[in-house]
mmCIF file of all heavy atoms in Angstrom:
data_model
loop_
_atom_site.group_PDB
_atom_site.id
_atom_site.type_symbol
_atom_site.label_atom_id
_atom_site.label_comp_id
_atom_site.label_asym_id
_atom_site.label_seq_id
_atom_site.Cartn_x
_atom_site.Cartn_y
_atom_site.Cartn_z
ATOM 1 N N LEU A 17 122.178 -45.149 247.161
ATOM 2 C CA LEU A 17 123.109 -45.934 247.991
ATOM 3 C C LEU A 17 122.959 -45.654 249.464
ATOM 4 O O LEU A 17 123.094 -46.566 250.321
ATOM 5 C CB LEU A 17 124.556 -45.720 247.531
ATOM 6 C CG LEU A 17 124.907 -46.302 246.148
ATOM 7 C CD1 LEU A 17 126.320 -45.886 245.751
ATOM 8 C CD2 LEU A 17 124.703 -47.794 246.079
ATOM 9 N N ASN A 18 122.671 -44.361 249.790
ATOM 10 C CA ASN A 18 122.435 -44.019 251.177
ATOM 11 C C ASN A 18 121.217 -44.759 251.689
ATOM 12 O O ASN A 18 121.234 -45.311 252.897
ATOM 13 C CB ASN A 18 122.260 -42.544 251.366
ATOM 14 C CG ASN A 18 123.504 -41.738 251.178
ATOM 15 O OD1 ASN A 18 124.610 -42.291 251.361
ATOM 16 N ND2 ASN A 18 123.402 -40.455 250.860
ATOM 17 N N GLY A 19 120.165 -44.856 250.914
ATOM 18 C CA GLY A 19 118.987 -45.521 251.274
ATOM 19 C C GLY A 19 119.199 -47.020 251.484
ATOM 20 O O GLY A 19 118.743 -47.638 252.419
ATOM 21 N N CYS A 20 119.966 -47.598 250.524
ATOM 22 C CA CYS A 20 120.301 -49.022 250.604
ATOM 23 C C CYS A 20 121.158 -49.352 251.795
ATOM 24 O O CYS A 20 120.827 -50.327 252.525
ATOM 25 C CB CYS A 20 121.013 -49.512 249.320
ATOM 26 S SG CYS A 20 119.980 -49.540 247.822
ATOM 27 N N SER A 21 122.166 -48.560 252.057
ATOM 28 C CA SER A 21 123.034 -48.839 253.170
ATOM 29 C C SER A 21 122.334 -48.733 254.496
ATOM 30 O O SER A 21 122.547 -49.455 255.444
ATOM 31 C CB SER A 21 124.243 -47.872 253.143
ATOM 32 O OG SER A 21 123.853 -46.499 253.240
ATOM 33 N N SER A 22 121.351 -47.786 254.591
ATOM 34 C CA SER A 22 120.525 -47.579 255.761
ATOM 35 C C SER A 22 119.693 -48.859 256.053
ATOM 36 O O SER A 22 119.589 -49.327 257.223
ATOM 37 C CB SER A 22 119.657 -46.372 255.694
ATOM 38 O OG SER A 22 120.425 -45.183 255.671
ATOM 39 N N LEU A 23 119.067 -49.355 254.949
ATOM 40 C CA LEU A 23 118.247 -50.559 255.091
ATOM 41 C C LEU A 23 119.103 -51.770 255.481
ATOM 42 O O LEU A 23 118.668 -52.580 256.322
ATOM 43 C CB LEU A 23 117.527 -50.873 253.772
ATOM 44 C CG LEU A 23 116.355 -49.928 253.442
ATOM 45 C CD1 LEU A 23 115.781 -50.305 252.025
ATOM 46 C CD2 LEU A 23 115.275 -50.020 254.452
ATOM 47 N N ILE A 24 120.273 -51.862 254.927
ATOM 48 C CA ILE A 24 121.161 -52.982 255.273
ATOM 49 C C ILE A 24 121.576 -52.887 256.715
ATOM 50 O O ILE A 24 121.549 -53.869 257.475
ATOM 51 C CB ILE A 24 122.431 -52.949 254.320
ATOM 52 C CG1 ILE A 24 122.008 -53.305 252.884
ATOM 53 C CG2 ILE A 24 123.425 -54.000 254.810
ATOM 54 C CD1 ILE A 24 123.116 -53.041 251.915
ATOM 55 N N LYS A 25 121.986 -51.680 257.130
ATOM 56 C CA LYS A 25 122.467 -51.497 258.473
ATOM 57 C C LYS A 25 121.388 -51.730 259.515
ATOM 58 O O LYS A 25 121.594 -52.387 260.565
ATOM 59 C CB LYS A 25 123.051 -50.070 258.688
ATOM 60 C CG LYS A 25 123.551 -49.779 260.028
ATOM 61 C CD LYS A 25 124.099 -48.325 260.078
ATOM 62 C CE LYS A 25 124.663 -48.010 261.456
ATOM 63 N NZ LYS A 25 125.213 -46.599 261.511
ATOM 64 N N ASP A 26 120.204 -51.237 259.271
ATOM 65 C CA ASP A 26 119.095 -51.338 260.191
ATOM 66 C C ASP A 26 118.482 -52.767 260.308
ATOM 67 O O ASP A 26 117.828 -53.036 261.269
ATOM 68 C CB ASP A 26 117.948 -50.326 259.796
ATOM 69 C CG ASP A 26 118.360 -48.894 259.960
ATOM 70 O OD1 ASP A 26 119.384 -48.648 260.613
ATOM 71 O OD2 ASP A 26 117.753 -48.060 259.291
ATOM 72 N N ASN A 27 118.670 -53.557 259.256
ATOM 73 C CA ASN A 27 118.057 -54.855 259.181
ATOM 74 C C ASN A 27 119.033 -56.047 259.182
ATOM 75 O O ASN A 27 118.602 -57.186 259.079
ATOM 76 C CB ASN A 27 117.093 -54.986 258.019
ATOM 77 C CG ASN A 27 115.959 -54.024 258.105
ATOM 78 O OD1 ASN A 27 114.949 -54.279 258.712
ATOM 79 N ND2 ASN A 27 116.091 -52.847 257.491
ATOM 80 N N SER A 28 120.300 -55.733 259.243
ATOM 81 C CA SER A 28 121.304 -56.784 259.137
ATOM 82 C C SER A 28 121.201 -57.878 260.233
ATOM 83 O O SER A 28 121.396 -59.038 259.984
ATOM 84 C CB SER A 28 122.754 -56.199 259.089
ATOM 85 O OG SER A 28 123.033 -55.509 260.273
ATOM 86 N N ASP A 29 120.927 -57.385 261.464
ATOM 87 C CA ASP A 29 120.815 -58.343 262.551
ATOM 88 C C ASP A 29 119.536 -59.155 262.502
ATOM 89 O O ASP A 29 119.526 -60.380 262.601
ATOM 90 C CB ASP A 29 120.880 -57.597 263.893
ATOM 91 C CG ASP A 29 122.277 -57.076 264.261
ATOM 92 O OD1 ASP A 29 123.243 -57.611 263.658
ATOM 93 O OD2 ASP A 29 122.401 -56.129 264.984
ATOM 94 N N GLU A 30 118.419 -58.448 262.303
ATOM 95 C CA GLU A 30 117.097 -59.141 262.281
ATOM 96 C C GLU A 30 117.007 -60.087 261.085
ATOM 97 O O GLU A 30 116.475 -61.229 261.268
ATOM 98 C CB GLU A 30 116.005 -58.093 262.212
ATOM 99 C CG GLU A 30 114.593 -58.677 262.156
ATOM 100 C CD GLU A 30 113.485 -57.625 261.958
ATOM 101 O OE1 GLU A 30 113.823 -56.435 262.021
ATOM 102 O OE2 GLU A 30 112.357 -58.059 261.699
ATOM 103 N N LEU A 31 117.482 -59.722 259.954
ATOM 104 C CA LEU A 31 117.338 -60.552 258.772
ATOM 105 C C LEU A 31 118.565 -61.415 258.526
ATOM 106 O O LEU A 31 118.542 -62.222 257.585
ATOM 107 C CB LEU A 31 117.052 -59.691 257.524
ATOM 108 C CG LEU A 31 115.783 -58.858 257.552
ATOM 109 C CD1 LEU A 31 115.565 -58.104 256.259
ATOM 110 C CD2 LEU A 31 114.563 -59.843 257.786
ATOM 111 N N GLY A 32 119.560 -61.277 259.359
ATOM 112 C CA GLY A 32 120.769 -62.076 259.202
ATOM 113 C C GLY A 32 121.506 -61.864 257.909
ATOM 114 O O GLY A 32 121.898 -62.842 257.219
ATOM 115 N N ILE A 33 121.669 -60.619 257.490
ATOM 116 C CA ILE A 33 122.458 -60.324 256.271
ATOM 117 C C ILE A 33 123.885 -60.580 256.585
ATOM 118 O O ILE A 33 124.499 -59.892 257.418
ATOM 119 C CB ILE A 33 122.221 -58.887 255.832
ATOM 120 C CG1 ILE A 33 120.743 -58.633 255.498
ATOM 121 C CG2 ILE A 33 123.120 -58.515 254.621
ATOM 122 C CD1 ILE A 33 120.407 -57.175 255.198
ATOM 123 N N GLU A 34 124.498 -61.562 255.944
ATOM 124 C CA GLU A 34 125.855 -61.979 256.323
ATOM 125 C C GLU A 34 126.919 -61.618 255.287
ATOM 126 O O GLU A 34 128.077 -61.532 255.600
ATOM 127 C CB GLU A 34 125.907 -63.467 256.579
ATOM 128 C CG GLU A 34 125.599 -64.370 255.411
ATOM 129 C CD GLU A 34 125.782 -65.836 255.716
ATOM 130 O OE1 GLU A 34 126.249 -66.127 256.811
ATOM 131 O OE2 GLU A 34 125.386 -66.676 254.830
ATOM 132 N N GLU A 35 126.514 -61.422 254.026
ATOM 133 C CA GLU A 35 127.495 -61.180 253.004
ATOM 134 C C GLU A 35 126.891 -60.392 251.833
ATOM 135 O O GLU A 35 125.744 -60.614 251.485
ATOM 136 C CB GLU A 35 128.059 -62.518 252.437
ATOM 137 C CG GLU A 35 129.116 -62.283 251.389
ATOM 138 C CD GLU A 35 129.674 -63.600 250.827
ATOM 139 O OE1 GLU A 35 129.255 -64.705 251.291
ATOM 140 O OE2 GLU A 35 130.470 -63.543 249.888
ATOM 141 N N ILE A 36 127.639 -59.474 251.282
ATOM 142 C CA ILE A 36 127.234 -58.702 250.131
ATOM 143 C C ILE A 36 128.353 -58.671 249.083
ATOM 144 O O ILE A 36 129.465 -58.243 249.380
ATOM 145 C CB ILE A 36 126.857 -57.251 250.462
ATOM 146 C CG1 ILE A 36 125.610 -57.245 251.411
ATOM 147 C CG2 ILE A 36 126.517 -56.430 249.209
ATOM 148 C CD1 ILE A 36 125.216 -55.876 251.870
ATOM 149 N N GLN A 37 128.130 -59.228 247.953
ATOM 150 C CA GLN A 37 129.074 -59.213 246.832
ATOM 151 C C GLN A 37 128.719 -58.149 245.869
ATOM 152 O O GLN A 37 127.568 -58.074 245.411
ATOM 153 C CB GLN A 37 129.080 -60.572 246.147
ATOM 154 C CG GLN A 37 129.494 -61.755 247.033
ATOM 155 C CD GLN A 37 129.386 -63.068 246.279
ATOM 156 O OE1 GLN A 37 129.038 -63.170 245.117
ATOM 157 N NE2 GLN A 37 129.659 -64.169 247.033
ATOM 158 N N VAL A 38 129.649 -57.242 245.588
ATOM 159 C CA VAL A 38 129.451 -56.095 244.688
ATOM 160 C C VAL A 38 130.158 -56.450 243.407
ATOM 161 O O VAL A 38 131.362 -56.678 243.389
ATOM 162 C CB VAL A 38 129.980 -54.821 245.273
ATOM 163 C CG1 VAL A 38 129.651 -53.650 244.324
ATOM 164 C CG2 VAL A 38 129.345 -54.527 246.651
ATOM 165 N N GLU A 39 129.357 -56.486 242.273
ATOM 166 C CA GLU A 39 129.958 -56.792 240.977
ATOM 167 C C GLU A 39 129.814 -55.669 240.005
ATOM 168 O O GLU A 39 128.727 -55.084 239.898
ATOM 169 C CB GLU A 39 129.292 -58.061 240.453
ATOM 170 C CG GLU A 39 129.413 -59.294 241.294
ATOM 171 C CD GLU A 39 128.800 -60.538 240.683
ATOM 172 O OE1 GLU A 39 128.127 -60.368 239.626
ATOM 173 O OE2 GLU A 39 128.908 -61.684 241.245
ATOM 174 N N GLY A 40 130.855 -55.362 239.259
ATOM 175 C CA GLY A 40 130.853 -54.390 238.199
ATOM 176 C C GLY A 40 130.848 -55.048 236.868
ATOM 177 O O GLY A 40 131.589 -56.025 236.656
ATOM 178 N N HIS A 41 130.045 -54.523 235.953
ATOM 179 C CA HIS A 41 129.944 -55.076 234.573
ATOM 180 C C HIS A 41 129.866 -53.969 233.590
ATOM 181 O O HIS A 41 129.375 -52.878 233.827
ATOM 182 C CB HIS A 41 128.662 -55.912 234.463
ATOM 183 C CG HIS A 41 128.542 -57.055 235.419
ATOM 184 N ND1 HIS A 41 128.988 -58.313 235.111
ATOM 185 C CD2 HIS A 41 128.046 -57.136 236.664
ATOM 186 C CE1 HIS A 41 128.768 -59.130 236.154
ATOM 187 N NE2 HIS A 41 128.177 -58.438 237.092
ATOM 188 N N THR A 42 130.440 -54.240 232.400
ATOM 189 C CA THR A 42 130.476 -53.218 231.323
ATOM 190 C C THR A 42 129.912 -53.786 230.007
ATOM 191 O O THR A 42 129.602 -55.004 229.957
ATOM 192 C CB THR A 42 131.911 -52.733 231.055
ATOM 193 O OG1 THR A 42 132.651 -53.830 230.419
ATOM 194 C CG2 THR A 42 132.653 -52.358 232.304
ATOM 195 N N ASP A 43 129.794 -52.911 229.042
ATOM 196 C CA ASP A 43 129.441 -53.386 227.672
ATOM 197 C C ASP A 43 130.771 -53.769 226.949
ATOM 198 O O ASP A 43 131.842 -53.824 227.582
ATOM 199 C CB ASP A 43 128.617 -52.338 226.913
ATOM 200 C CG ASP A 43 129.379 -51.032 226.752
ATOM 201 O OD1 ASP A 43 130.676 -51.033 226.757
ATOM 202 O OD2 ASP A 43 128.740 -50.006 226.658
ATOM 203 N N SER A 44 130.676 -54.006 225.675
ATOM 204 C CA SER A 44 131.830 -54.462 224.920
ATOM 205 C C SER A 44 132.637 -53.364 224.256
ATOM 206 O O SER A 44 133.712 -53.610 223.655
ATOM 207 C CB SER A 44 131.413 -55.469 223.831
ATOM 208 O OG SER A 44 130.483 -54.794 222.914
ATOM 209 N N ASP A 45 132.168 -52.070 224.431
ATOM 210 C CA ASP A 45 132.971 -50.972 223.802
ATOM 211 C C ASP A 45 134.283 -50.795 224.491
ATOM 212 O O ASP A 45 134.413 -50.853 225.711
ATOM 213 C CB ASP A 45 132.127 -49.654 223.960
ATOM 214 C CG ASP A 45 130.888 -49.642 223.043
ATOM 215 O OD1 ASP A 45 130.758 -50.563 222.227
ATOM 216 O OD2 ASP A 45 130.079 -48.753 223.227
ATOM 217 N N ARG A 46 135.302 -50.547 223.648
ATOM 218 C CA ARG A 46 136.634 -50.274 224.207
ATOM 219 C C ARG A 46 136.616 -48.920 224.922
ATOM 220 O O ARG A 46 135.905 -47.992 224.500
ATOM 221 C CB ARG A 46 137.667 -50.274 223.087
ATOM 222 C CG ARG A 46 137.822 -51.617 222.423
ATOM 223 C CD ARG A 46 138.978 -51.592 221.400
ATOM 224 N NE ARG A 46 140.241 -51.406 222.125
ATOM 225 C CZ ARG A 46 141.423 -51.360 221.476
ATOM 226 N NH1 ARG A 46 141.455 -51.452 220.118
ATOM 227 N NH2 ARG A 46 142.542 -51.160 222.169
ATOM 228 N N ILE A 47 137.327 -48.828 225.984
ATOM 229 C CA ILE A 47 137.263 -47.635 226.819
ATOM 230 C C ILE A 47 138.629 -47.371 227.438
ATOM 231 O O ILE A 47 139.452 -48.251 227.650
ATOM 232 C CB ILE A 47 136.224 -47.767 227.859
ATOM 233 C CG1 ILE A 47 135.792 -46.398 228.419
ATOM 234 C CG2 ILE A 47 136.705 -48.638 229.009
ATOM 235 C CD1 ILE A 47 134.579 -46.384 229.234
ATOM 236 N N GLY A 48 138.862 -46.129 227.701
ATOM 237 C CA GLY A 48 140.103 -45.669 228.339
ATOM 238 C C GLY A 48 140.010 -44.207 228.638
ATOM 239 O O GLY A 48 139.280 -43.445 227.996
ATOM 240 N N SER A 49 140.692 -43.723 229.688
ATOM 241 C CA SER A 49 140.613 -42.336 230.080
ATOM 242 C C SER A 49 141.877 -41.642 229.722
ATOM 243 O O SER A 49 142.964 -42.209 229.602
ATOM 244 C CB SER A 49 140.413 -42.225 231.597
ATOM 245 O OG SER A 49 141.482 -42.890 232.317
ATOM 246 N N ASP A 50 141.750 -40.310 229.438
ATOM 247 C CA ASP A 50 142.911 -39.515 229.044
ATOM 248 C C ASP A 50 143.984 -39.497 230.113
ATOM 249 O O ASP A 50 145.189 -39.392 229.771
ATOM 250 C CB ASP A 50 142.467 -38.065 228.708
ATOM 251 C CG ASP A 50 141.495 -38.053 227.532
ATOM 252 O OD1 ASP A 50 141.563 -38.957 226.692
ATOM 253 O OD2 ASP A 50 140.691 -37.073 227.419
ATOM 254 N N ASP A 51 143.632 -39.562 231.349
ATOM 255 C CA ASP A 51 144.655 -39.501 232.440
ATOM 256 C C ASP A 51 145.293 -40.855 232.739
ATOM 257 O O ASP A 51 146.148 -40.958 233.556
ATOM 258 C CB ASP A 51 144.005 -38.908 233.716
ATOM 259 C CG ASP A 51 142.792 -39.731 234.169
ATOM 260 O OD1 ASP A 51 142.564 -40.828 233.690
ATOM 261 O OD2 ASP A 51 142.066 -39.225 235.075
ATOM 262 N N GLY A 52 144.786 -41.856 232.024
ATOM 263 C CA GLY A 52 145.427 -43.186 232.191
ATOM 264 C C GLY A 52 144.951 -43.968 233.424
ATOM 265 O O GLY A 52 145.396 -45.069 233.616
ATOM 266 N N LYS A 53 144.004 -43.395 234.180
ATOM 267 C CA LYS A 53 143.496 -44.085 235.346
ATOM 268 C C LYS A 53 142.631 -45.314 234.963
ATOM 269 O O LYS A 53 142.611 -46.302 235.683
ATOM 270 C CB LYS A 53 142.746 -43.122 236.248
ATOM 271 C CG LYS A 53 143.598 -42.069 236.899
ATOM 272 C CD LYS A 53 142.770 -41.156 237.803
ATOM 273 C CE LYS A 53 143.643 -40.102 238.462
ATOM 274 N NZ LYS A 53 142.864 -39.209 239.343
ATOM 275 N N ILE A 54 141.897 -45.166 233.872
ATOM 276 C CA ILE A 54 141.078 -46.292 233.435
ATOM 277 C C ILE A 54 141.739 -46.814 232.077
ATOM 278 O O ILE A 54 141.664 -46.092 231.069
ATOM 279 C CB ILE A 54 139.613 -45.844 233.178
ATOM 280 C CG1 ILE A 54 138.986 -45.302 234.474
ATOM 281 C CG2 ILE A 54 138.790 -47.051 232.637
ATOM 282 C CD1 ILE A 54 138.850 -46.279 235.558
ATOM 283 N N LYS A 55 142.271 -48.019 232.101
ATOM 284 C CA LYS A 55 142.930 -48.546 230.946
ATOM 285 C C LYS A 55 141.942 -49.277 230.037
ATOM 286 O O LYS A 55 142.088 -49.191 228.793
ATOM 287 C CB LYS A 55 144.059 -49.440 231.385
ATOM 288 C CG LYS A 55 145.186 -48.735 232.118
ATOM 289 C CD LYS A 55 146.281 -49.692 232.501
ATOM 290 C CE LYS A 55 147.371 -48.993 233.289
ATOM 291 N NZ LYS A 55 148.504 -49.970 233.661
ATOM 292 N N ASP A 56 141.042 -49.960 230.622
ATOM 293 C CA ASP A 56 140.134 -50.793 229.819
ATOM 294 C C ASP A 56 138.904 -51.159 230.684
ATOM 295 O O ASP A 56 138.700 -50.632 231.794
ATOM 296 C CB ASP A 56 140.810 -52.080 229.317
ATOM 297 C CG ASP A 56 141.516 -52.862 230.426
ATOM 298 O OD1 ASP A 56 141.052 -52.754 231.622
ATOM 299 O OD2 ASP A 56 142.462 -53.586 230.182
ATOM 300 N N ASN A 57 138.056 -52.054 230.100
ATOM 301 C CA ASN A 57 136.831 -52.438 230.824
ATOM 302 C C ASN A 57 137.086 -53.228 232.086
ATOM 303 O O ASN A 57 136.295 -53.235 233.019
ATOM 304 C CB ASN A 57 135.907 -53.187 229.926
ATOM 305 C CG ASN A 57 135.157 -52.303 228.925
ATOM 306 O OD1 ASN A 57 134.740 -51.226 229.336
ATOM 307 N ND2 ASN A 57 135.010 -52.715 227.700
ATOM 308 N N TRP A 58 138.235 -53.936 232.163
ATOM 309 C CA TRP A 58 138.624 -54.547 233.446
ATOM 310 C C TRP A 58 138.765 -53.502 234.532
ATOM 311 O O TRP A 58 138.266 -53.683 235.666
ATOM 312 C CB TRP A 58 139.872 -55.363 233.273
ATOM 313 C CG TRP A 58 139.717 -56.664 232.601
ATOM 314 C CD1 TRP A 58 140.240 -57.020 231.383
ATOM 315 C CD2 TRP A 58 138.999 -57.824 233.053
ATOM 316 N NE1 TRP A 58 139.841 -58.310 231.061
ATOM 317 C CE2 TRP A 58 139.103 -58.821 232.041
ATOM 318 C CE3 TRP A 58 138.272 -58.094 234.194
ATOM 319 C CZ2 TRP A 58 138.523 -60.103 232.228
ATOM 320 C CZ3 TRP A 58 137.666 -59.358 234.338
ATOM 321 C CH2 TRP A 58 137.791 -60.336 233.358
ATOM 322 N N ASP A 59 139.476 -52.454 234.226
ATOM 323 C CA ASP A 59 139.714 -51.399 235.180
ATOM 324 C C ASP A 59 138.366 -50.716 235.583
ATOM 325 O O ASP A 59 138.115 -50.503 236.757
ATOM 326 C CB ASP A 59 140.637 -50.290 234.601
ATOM 327 C CG ASP A 59 142.071 -50.532 234.912
ATOM 328 O OD1 ASP A 59 142.379 -51.481 235.719
ATOM 329 O OD2 ASP A 59 142.931 -49.856 234.361
ATOM 330 N N LEU A 60 137.554 -50.415 234.541
ATOM 331 C CA LEU A 60 136.335 -49.769 234.808
ATOM 332 C C LEU A 60 135.379 -50.527 235.686
ATOM 333 O O LEU A 60 134.858 -50.006 236.729
ATOM 334 C CB LEU A 60 135.608 -49.416 233.494
ATOM 335 C CG LEU A 60 134.284 -48.650 233.635
ATOM 336 C CD1 LEU A 60 134.447 -47.315 234.308
ATOM 337 C CD2 LEU A 60 133.647 -48.469 232.231
#
C-alpha cells in the first residue's frame, strides 16, 4: 500500500487521477469476532 500510495501521489497530477473507489468483498462463510467488533460479512 505504501508503494501504491506513492505512485498515486507522484502521478496524480500528470495522469489526472481524480477518483479512487475502495471496495471490500468477502466469501459466503459466516463470520463474527469474539469482541463483537465484527458482526458479519457486511461489517468485515
Side-chain angles (χ1 to χ4, degrees):
L17 292 175
N18 287 339
C20 288
S21 61
S22 293
L23 288 177
I24 294 169
K25 182 179 180 180
D26 294 343
N27 296 276
S28 60
D29 288 338
E30 180 184 350
L31 298 182
I33 299 174
E34 63 175 352
E35 181 181 358
I36 297 177
Q37 298 175 2
V38 184
E39 297 182 355
H41 301 269
T42 70
D43 59 26
S44 60
D45 289 351
R46 296 186 65 180
I47 199 165
S49 59
D50 295 335
D51 58 11
K53 291 182 179 180
I54 302 294
K55 295 180 180 180
D56 52 26
N57 281 321
W58 282 114
D59 268 353
L60 180 61

